[in-house]
Amino acid sequence: MTQAQIEIRVLASLSQIAAEDWDACACPEAADGTRPLDPFTTHRFLSALEDSGSVGPGTGWQPQYLTAYQDGLLIACAPLYAKGHSQGEYIFDHNWAHAYEQAGGHYYPKLQVAVPFTPATGRRFLVRPGFDGIGHSALVQGAVQLAADNKLSSLHVTFCTQDEARMGAEMGLMRRSTQQFHWQNDGYADFEGFMRALSSRKRKNIRKERMQAQCFGGEIRVFQGGSLQPEHWDAFWEFYQDTGARKWGAPYLTRQFFDIAHHTMAQNMALILAERNGRYVAGALNFIGRETLYGRYWGCVEHHPCLHFELCYYQAIELAIALGLDRAEAGAQGEHKLARGYLPCETHSLHWIGDPGFAGAVERYLEAERAATEEEIEILTDYGPFRKAQVEEQE
């Protein structure tokens, strides 16, 4: 490092660092016991992934946690992984990998600063307050140096914040823009308040979908914090396995992850379950941040019209309003979310590629992609479900 007082260490396990030290960088806003901005970079969440075997040997996600110390004090850290594939990232670089290997290179392993299996925007360079500039610089330089020293093809920082994307670009990383669909709480008192902001046609469609969903023949219940019980996770694991098998070939998370999270993170989770004839038939898992409800997983063992929309989107909106949150995120992709009140939002990532020629080609691609993403967001927002004028036809 250029600054001798900064020591960079790479840790193979979070057990090598105290939770309070990591969280002093990851979520200093939660030092008083309140919720972190997002729970995904907390020591307890990342430890649950590691301790459950969801990441580690055989998964293609090998922990290489990056830490920066000044005079023995941890001033910055990052969830860094050596990746043997591009699964579970949601910022797709499969085409890059194919082109790199067609040209005779080895794209894998690569380095990834990310929260595994979690397409939710949040801080990726975790810096203790008071060390912002030096901590961020140390992590970026340390990650790039680690990739270069080990002759790895690339480094990727996915779902970082806009500020991190700007700072990373200033330090020479390549910036990428993609999009998701998020619901914004415009001070709604309840779901009907949100509905009044929509166009007449969209209100009718949503009411129709909610009525169809409620006809599944059972009851929808929300479990949060202390109301979560082991049997709820037994049911949800069945749903999650079905979704994982269909989408990814195998579930990313192990069964043990949910058991560990139940004991360490119940206050940060809400499970929305549909029960019919004494059996849970569908469910959606949400994580709760200080300002945002994060919709993460959905699954079912019975298919009923519109039940997916109800549990994943409409119930999430109701819960976000009830909790006084600013927004609800519904995961990656999905233009079908637009008609249900979720508007397109820009997401950010950063990339470093060691080969200068290949890096130049990727940079040209990213420049065109950023322009296309900006245009698409503008177009989709204009087609959004909200009223375009104060006066609207009567329903």
Side-chain angles (χ1 to χ4, degrees):
M1 297 298 301
T2 58
Q3 296 166 330
Q5 72 270 29
I6 303 297
E7 179 188 2
I8 296 294
R9 304 177 194 169
V10 177
L11 306 180
S13 171
L14 273 187
S15 64
Q16 298 175 255
I17 188 168
E20 56 268 27
D21 290 337
W22 180 277
D23 287 346
C25 300
C27 53
E29 71 280 357
D32 59 357
T34 55
R35 288 195 183 105
L37 281 172
D38 78 77
F40 302 120
T41 54
T42 62
H43 192 279
R44 60 187 180 274
F45 183 87
L46 296 173
S47 291
L49 292 175
E50 184 183 332
D51 295 343
S52 67
S54 300
V55 301
T59 68
W61 289 83
Q62 191 61 41
Q64 300 283 291
Y65 306 109
L66 195 65
T67 59
Y69 291 83
Q70 184 179 54
D71 299 327
L73 176 70
L74 180 72
I75 65 167
C77 52
L80 178 67
Y81 299 85
K83 289 296 306 295
H85 51 63
S86 291
Q87 303 303 314
E89 297 170 11
Y90 304 95
I91 298 291
F92 302 112
D93 65 346
H94 299 88
N95 290 339
W96 302 1
H98 180 72
Y100 196 83
E101 296 190 356
Q102 284 289 101
H106 296 286
Y107 194 73
Y108 305 107
K110 61 178 182 175
L111 290 182
Q112 192 92 13
V113 179
V115 178
F117 328 122
T118 306
T121 292
R123 292 167 60 237
R124 295 295 176 260
F125 300 111
L126 313 174
V127 181
R128 186 184 292 265
F131 297 88
D132 295 337
I134 192 172
H136 184 272
S137 177
L139 291 175
V140 172
Q141 292 181 53
V144 170
Q145 193 66 50
L146 186 64
D149 287 350
N150 288 278
K151 296 181 172 54
L152 302 182
S153 70
S154 53
L155 164 73
H156 310 267
V157 184
T158 45
F159 293 101
C160 60
T161 67
Q162 186 173 14
D163 285 343
E164 288 176 326
R166 175 184 54 79
M167 290 187 289
E170 290 173 355
M171 295 185 66
L173 301 183
M174 296 183 289
R175 181 172 59 87
R176 189 175 190 182
S177 295
T178 49
Q179 70 167 348
Q180 289 183 342
F181 292 84
H182 300 169
W183 175 83
Q184 301 291 330
N185 187 351
D186 193 19
Y188 304 120
D190 51 27
F191 193 87
E192 280 303 310
F194 156 64
M195 291 281 280
R196 286 192 290 272
L198 303 179
S199 68
S200 173
R201 183 168 60 87
K202 291 298 190 291
R203 285 199 298 268
K204 290 176 180 177
N205 289 342
I206 289 175
R207 287 189 175 123
K208 180 180 178 181
E209 286 185 347
R210 300 203 77 182
M211 287 180 64
Q212 284 183 300
Q214 293 293 339
C215 291
F216 80 100
E219 181 182 2
I220 295 172
R221 301 173 64 188
V222 179
F223 299 96
Q224 177 188 343
S227 67
L228 285 165
Q229 298 299 320
E231 58 265 28
H232 300 146
W233 297 115
D234 290 337
F236 187 75
W237 173 245
E238 189 177 1
F239 309 150
Y240 176 70
Q241 285 187 98
D242 176 72
T243 299
R246 286 186 290 105
K247 284 191 173 183
W248 316 305
Y252 289 141
L253 301 173
T254 67
R255 176 66 180 85
Q256 191 180 8
F257 170 83
F258 298 100
D259 291 334
I260 295 173
H262 174 75
H263 291 290
T264 63
M265 301 193 64
Q267 297 303 320
N268 296 112
M269 295 189 294
L271 195 53
I272 303 171
L273 295 176
E275 183 179 8
R276 180 174 178 267
N277 296 329
R279 180 193 184 200
Y280 294 116
V281 298
L285 174 60
N286 298 266
F287 284 84
I288 307 168
R290 178 172 289 214
E291 300 170 351
T292 306
L293 184 72
Y294 300 93
R296 287 304 304 114
Y297 300 107
W298 142 270
C300 64
V301 292
E302 293 181 4
H303 295 277
H304 297 275
C306 299
L307 193 58
H308 171 260
F309 299 148
E310 176 66 24
L311 267 59
C312 292
Y313 307 142
Y314 304 139
Q315 289 285 330
I317 290 173
E318 288 195 340
L319 183 57
I321 293 172
L323 293 174
L325 302 177
D326 294 340
R327 67 189 67 84
E329 297 186 12
Q333 299 137 359
E335 291 185 8
H336 62 280
K337 299 167 187 172
L338 185 68
R340 293 162 183 93
Y342 291 72
L343 293 179
C345 297
E346 187 178 22
T347 53
H348 307 275
S349 61
L350 292 164
H351 308 270
W352 173 90
I353 293 175
D355 182 272
F358 193 70
V362 169
E363 179 58 67
R364 291 189 292 275
Y365 167 79
L366 293 180
E367 184 177 356
E369 185 186 47
R370 286 194 298 270
T373 297
E374 181 179 352
E375 182 179 8
E376 184 175 13
I377 288 175
E378 183 177 349
I379 292 171
L380 289 174
T381 300
D382 191 55
Y383 277 101
F386 293 89
R387 291 186 296 174
K388 300 300 189 294
Q390 295 297 318
V391 179
E392 186 187 24
E393 73 277 8
Q394 293 293 320
E395 292 189 53

